[in-house]
Amino acid sequence: MSTIVRISSRRLQAGFAAATIVFALAGCASGKWGFPYKAPIQQGNWVTSEQVALLQTGMTREQVRFALGSPTLTSVLHADRWDFPYYYKPGYGKSQERKFTVWFKDDKLVRWQGDEQPDLQPFQLANQDIKRSEAENRQTLEDAQRAKSDDERTRGNVTITPPAPTDSSTPGAIPVPGSGSPTPL
């Protein structure tokens, strides 16, 4: 005769509820509420101080477009104004926001104004960080090699001096087999 084990539906429901609560709490324990990655948001034009230095009054719209890139905002109501806003929100961290505006009169650049712009483009910043870490690694390796060569140099200059010979009149001396003189304790 076969035995069938029956699990009551209440027990099954309680087990599923407990498992659900355990998984939900485990996800909350990470500190990021179960979302390990938040995509960074980058919008607008990245304008550098080098690009701003290229601007001169009297430049044409095409020359300004070549220097700064295409404007992010143009308005039909303000045809003589180009705006270059920039916004960056990393996944976790503080957001950055910069604005830069140029004004034209008769299709010639008359003035520009905006926040202080960075010196480098984002890819240049990343390359700079990589170069800095490579330089630090190189310096660490050179320091380790220098320490090793100093250690080897000092190890080669170590001289071991044998103990001075003792005579049999030294109190507490023990005679060493094969030698005629005793050795002190």
Side-chain angles (χ1 to χ4, degrees):
M1 191 167 168
S2 66
T3 308
I4 299 176
V5 177
R6 290 191 167 207
I7 300 174
S8 71
S9 63
R10 282 184 186 235
R11 268 192 153 166
L12 192 58
Q13 288 174 346
F16 281 131
T20 302
I21 290 172
V22 167
F23 285 123
L25 291 177
C28 293
S30 70
K32 296 180 183 173
W33 294 90
F35 300 104
Y37 179 75
K38 285 178 76 176
I41 300 168
Q42 180 174 329
Q43 296 175 328
N45 295 54
W46 182 284
V47 178
T48 65
S49 58
E50 182 180 353
Q51 291 170 299
V52 173
L54 295 174
L55 296 178
Q56 298 174 4
T57 56
M59 292 176 79
T60 65
R61 288 179 186 259
E62 290 305 313
Q63 290 171 324
V64 173
R65 181 176 277 121
F66 182 78
L68 301 179
S70 295
T72 306
L73 297 175
T74 56
S75 173
V76 175
L77 301 175
H78 303 285
D80 290 338
R81 174 181 167 170
W82 285 357
D83 292 300
F84 297 86
Y86 176 76
Y87 176 79
Y88 178 72
K89 170 77 170 117
Y92 296 98
K94 188 178 175 185
S95 62
Q96 298 178 24
E97 187 173 349
R98 291 189 301 273
K99 297 174 185 164
F100 192 77
T101 306
V102 295
W103 286 271
F104 298 95
K105 185 172 185 177
D106 299 326
D107 287 339
K108 300 287 184 190
L109 181 65
V110 290
R111 69 184 177 105
W112 56 91
Q113 178 182 341
D115 299 330
E116 186 176 341
Q117 303 300 318
D119 293 331
L120 302 171
Q121 292 283 350
F123 69 90
Q124 292 170 319
L125 293 173
N127 289 344
Q128 193 176 43
D129 291 342
I130 290 170
K131 287 178 184 176
R132 187 179 305 122
S133 66
E134 285 175 352
E136 289 171 358
N137 290 343
R138 195 175 318 112
Q139 184 64 38
T140 304
L141 181 62
E142 289 172 1
D143 291 344
Q145 289 173 343
R146 190 176 311 115
K148 184 179 177 183
S149 65
D150 289 346
D151 191 34
E152 288 173 354
R153 228 178 301 135
T154 56
R155 214 179 291 144
N157 292 338
V158 173
T159 56
I160 300 174
T161 56
T166 59
D167 58 353
S168 59
S169 63
T170 306
I174 302 171
V176 177
S179 75
S181 63
T183 307
L185 289 175

